Amino acid sequence: MISREEFVFTIGYDGSTAMVDSKAKARYGKLSTIELAQKGLFRSAFASALFGKNEAEFNEFALYFNSISGTAYTTLEEFKRLFGVNVETVKRVLSL
């Protein structure tokens, strides 16, 4: 099973192996979804909201992102397409 921090900083997959940015994970891994967004790490912030499966957290992120970017995205699917983030089955994690 992949941890929240690993999922948030996954930069790609090789089969069922998640490739994780270990430096970003070490530096920003403990930040909340909205803290990541406030630092400009929008892809990571969305991944955090997606992993958490908390609708209120996702709505807070969406509201913040839309106010900063001037967009009007509202659904998980729109954000998944925008950031290229989706939950995958992972058997192994490789830190780079």
Side-chain angles (χ1 to χ4, degrees), residues 6 9-14 17-21 93-96:
E6 290 166 339
F9 295 103
T10 293
I11 55 176
Y13 296 91
D14 183 15
T17 301
M19 306 294 180
V20 176
D21 181 343
V93 174
L94 180 62
S95 293
L96 304 174

Side-chain angles (χ1 to χ4, degrees), residues 16-65:
S16 62
T17 301
M19 306 294 180
V20 176
D21 181 343
S22 61
K23 287 185 182 183
K25 178 184 156 196
R27 184 169 182 183
Y28 302 110
K30 299 299 179 194
L31 298 181
S32 70
T33 296
I34 201 66
E35 289 171 329
L36 289 166
Q38 289 170 342
K39 294 231 180 252
L41 302 170
F42 297 115
R43 184 182 185 281
S44 295
F46 172 67
S48 175
L50 182 63
F51 189 84
K53 299 179 183 172
N54 180 324
E55 189 174 338
E57 182 180 23
F58 167 72
N59 290 334
E60 182 182 14
F61 164 76
L63 183 66
Y64 182 79
F65 179 81

Side-chain angles (χ1 to χ4, degrees), residues 78-96:
E78 289 173 321
F79 280 101
K80 284 179 180 181
R81 283 191 304 261
L82 177 66
F83 293 116
V85 174
N86 201 7
V87 177
E88 301 289 336
T89 302
V90 174
K91 294 185 180 180
R92 204 176 87 140
V93 174
L94 180 62
S95 293
L96 304 174

